[in-house]
């Protein structure tokens, strides 16, 4: 497995936030994390890249326990796009994306062709190449999000973690972004709110509720009308799409 978690737990003070989570993500596949606000999605992403230390349990990248890996080694392998990533510095789009190369360079390493190619490719992938020299403070919310994803891609990760990456994006860019991420030859874990986007783009889903995994597996097996009502408190009708073959959810107001 690319990422595996066994009985992972984490507390904030005396409050259990992640409670005995066990999940696997196969190489090159996309896992969607779903759940109500406060269910533990963001916390689990931070545990995977060791921004937080597990209270108990084990997280592995391949065969390596992340608790024994150097932070630089983890950073060379995992890129995280956080929900509220921002900066107040008056810098260009390209300067933000260049930060993605930091884990691959020593303190005195010169900027080389490999670095430049990785940055330019990342900008092209997210459709921001034409705005590479534009100042960060002039960007829209959606453009800032795409820039941060370009920074992550410039890191050339083998695992990509994204926390609500479609926030601030219009429908067209939501679809384009998820299509891009899920067709990259890397392993992805994406925290999402939109159940239909998750069903459309993710290979598998894990539903978190109260810090626990209450369902995991292929979207068509996980997303049931009973689960949507129990976990999200919404009545829904679920059908299989004749267009893309995935299940889609119609929310019922009565």
């Amino acid at each position: 497995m690319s990422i595996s978690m066994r009985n992972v737990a984490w507390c904030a003070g005396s409050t259990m936030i992640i409670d005995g989570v066990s999940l696997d993500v196969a190489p090159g596949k996309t896992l969607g994390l779903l759940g109500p606000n406060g269910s533990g999605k963001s916390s689990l992403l931070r545990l995977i890249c060791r921004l937080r230390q597990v209270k108990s349990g084990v997280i592995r990248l391949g065969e390596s326990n992340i608790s024994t890996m150097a932070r630089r080694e983890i950073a060379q392998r995992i890129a995280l796009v956080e929900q509220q990533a921002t900066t107040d510095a008056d810098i260009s789009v390209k300067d933000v994306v260049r930060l993605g190369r930091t884990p691959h360079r020593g303190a005195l390493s010169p900027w080389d062709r490999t670095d430049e190619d990785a940055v330019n490719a990342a900008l092209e992938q997210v459709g921001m190449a034409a705005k590479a020299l534009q100042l960060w403070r002039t960007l829209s919310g959606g453009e800032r999000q795409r820039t941060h994803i370009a920074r992550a891609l410039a890191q050339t990760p083998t695992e990509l973690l994204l926390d609500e990456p479609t926030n601030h994006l219009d429908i067209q860019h939501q679809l384009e972004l998820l299509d891009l991420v899920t067709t990259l030859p890397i392993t992805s874990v994406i925290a999402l709110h939109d159940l239909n986007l998750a069903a459309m783009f993710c290979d598998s889903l894990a539903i978190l509720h109260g810090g626990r995994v209450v369902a995991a597996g292929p979207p068509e097996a996980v997303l049931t009308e009973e689960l949507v009502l129990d976990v999200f408190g919404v009545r829904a009708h679920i059908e299989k799409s004749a267009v893309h073959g995935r299940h889609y959810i119609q929310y019922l107001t009565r």
Side-chain angles (χ1 to χ4, degrees):
M1 288 295 167
S2 180
I3 301 172
S4 65
M5 294 163 263
R6 291 292 176 270
N7 300 314
V8 172
W10 179 74
C11 297
S14 60
T15 303
M16 183 71 76
I17 304 298
I18 301 296
D19 188 4
V21 168
S22 294
L23 287 171
D24 292 313
V25 192
K29 299 298 184 180
T30 299
L31 171 68
L33 294 179
L34 298 171
N37 287 337
S39 59
K41 302 185 299 294
S42 298
S43 295
L44 189 59
L45 291 178
R46 286 162 178 75
L47 289 170
I48 293 172
C49 57
R50 218 178 76 187
L51 288 180
R52 291 173 176 164
Q53 191 71 39
V54 300
K55 181 178 186 292
S56 60
V58 175
I59 300 176
R60 295 185 182 277
L61 295 180
E63 299 300 318
S64 301
N65 186 331
I66 65 163
S67 66
T68 66
M69 297 173 67
R71 290 195 176 275
R72 181 182 177 88
E73 184 182 2
I74 295 173
Q76 288 175 341
R77 186 163 170 175
I78 298 179
L80 170 66
V81 178
E82 297 194 77
Q83 197 172 146
Q84 299 295 331
T86 189
T87 176
D88 294 324
D90 197 11
I91 59 177
S92 71
V93 167
K94 194 166 189 177
D95 286 334
V96 173
V97 179
R98 282 174 173 152
L99 295 174
R101 299 303 300 162
T102 302
H104 299 280
R105 305 175 66 245
L108 301 177
S109 299
W111 188 262
D112 61 20
R113 175 52 57 185
T114 299
D115 297 315
E116 190 68 14
D117 288 347
V119 168
N120 290 335
L123 286 165
E124 286 285 351
Q125 284 177 301
V126 301
M128 289 295 289
K131 298 193 175 186
L133 301 182
Q134 189 167 325
L135 290 178
W136 168 264
R137 59 180 168 81
T138 67
L139 298 179
S140 68
E143 289 169 336
R144 292 186 180 195
Q145 184 74 323
R146 283 189 279 156
T147 299
H148 278 300
I149 291 170
R151 174 196 54 75
L153 295 179
Q155 202 170 323
T156 59
T158 54
E159 286 86 16
L160 178 63
L161 312 180
L162 300 107
D163 192 359
E164 299 292 346
T166 55
N167 277 2
H168 312 300
L169 299 182
D170 58 31
I171 294 173
Q172 177 188 353
H173 287 119
Q174 288 181 29
L175 295 172
E176 289 177 349
L177 175 64
L178 290 175
D179 183 61
L180 164 67
V181 169
T182 56
T183 54
L184 291 170
I186 59 179
T187 305
S188 301
V189 182
I190 311 176
L192 290 166
H193 273 303
D194 192 309
L195 305 187
N196 281 312
L197 287 178
M200 187 182 302
F201 288 100
C202 297
D203 298 300
S204 60
L205 303 177
I207 312 297
L208 294 176
H209 192 40
R212 297 188 176 200
V213 175
V214 296
E220 60 272 17
V222 169
L223 292 177
T224 65
E225 295 171 5
E226 293 78 13
L227 179 136
V228 173
L229 179 59
D230 290 344
V231 174
F232 298 94
V234 177
R235 293 178 60 244
H237 175 65
I238 301 177
E239 294 183 4
K240 185 175 182 179
S241 170
V243 177
H244 52 67
R246 295 294 185 105
H247 283 57
Y248 68 94
I249 299 167
Q250 296 176 308
Y251 299 107
L252 305 177
T253 57
R254 297 182 182 178

